[in-house]
Amino acid sequence: MGPDRRLLILCLALSVVSVALTVSVPVILGHTTDLIVRGAADGGVDFARVGRVLAVAAVLVVVSASCALARGRLAQDIGQRTAFRLREQASAKLTVLPLGYLDRRPRGDLISRLTNDADTILVMEAGCIVEQGTHEELLEADGAYAHLYEAQFAQAASLSA
């Protein structure tokens, strides 16, 4: 976590802001409903005030979505940096192994170990590993990973349509 500590903290902060704003929007919309109901009961709705409250809600939605988008991009960057560092470390380890060690191992054993471990996906919920496997295996299992994958691409498909 060392090199990406600040980015992880920023990612967490963006998540907190996004969730807080998302949760506050229904409260504001409830206030708008109260204004309309009170205005209808009193004989006149203050549409200028209702418009201002709705504008605030719209700004909060946009800021919340922007924070969520930034958090997603940041999390993706952190993941890519971590994978790059792991590949560099694996490469550095392989370059310093003695030739005798490499000669005693079956051809491809080391590369097979590296690629098998690199293809393994761990799915975590609440800090616990709930699924483990390759992309294809996890999709076939139709568990949490498959549902997240389908939700992500259903959202992407709806955005592109």
Side-chain angles (χ1 to χ4, degrees):
M1 184 164 128
D4 292 325
R5 175 172 289 189
R6 287 188 176 144
L7 293 176
L8 285 170
I9 291 170
L10 178 60
C11 191
L12 178 63
L14 286 169
S15 294
V16 169
V17 169
S18 177
V19 168
L21 292 176
T22 300
V23 168
S24 68
V25 169
V27 173
I28 292 172
L29 293 177
H31 179 66
T32 304
T33 304
D34 292 343
L35 287 174
I36 294 170
V37 169
R38 269 190 252 126
D42 294 341
V45 177
D46 184 1
F47 286 108
R49 188 169 177 199
V50 169
R52 287 191 303 271
V53 173
L54 289 176
V56 168
V59 167
L60 292 180
V61 167
V62 169
V63 172
S64 174
S66 298
C67 287
L69 183 65
R71 179 206 37 87
R73 174 62 192 237
L74 191 58
Q76 179 183 3
D77 289 346
I78 291 168
Q80 288 177 349
R81 287 179 188 197
T82 302
F84 179 76
R85 278 195 307 274
L86 286 171
R87 286 191 305 270
E88 279 186 326
Q89 290 171 359
S91 176
K93 184 74 170 178
L94 284 173
T95 58
V96 297
L97 286 174
L99 288 176
Y101 179 82
L102 296 173
D103 288 340
R104 289 188 303 251
R105 300 287 179 258
R107 179 180 287 192
D109 184 42
L110 291 174
I111 299 302
S112 175
R113 284 186 188 181
L114 286 174
T115 57
N116 285 341
D117 289 345
D119 288 342
T120 301
I121 299 170
L122 300 177
V123 181
M124 298 182 71
E125 288 181 359
C128 298
I129 297 173
V130 294
E131 289 181 313
Q132 177 177 339
T134 65
H135 172 73
E136 291 79 15
E137 292 169 345
L138 292 171
L139 285 178
E140 287 177 18
D142 197 34
Y145 178 83
H147 294 120
L148 288 171
Y149 181 81
E150 290 166 6
Q152 179 181 0
F153 285 103
Q155 181 182 14
S158 68
L159 292 176
S160 65

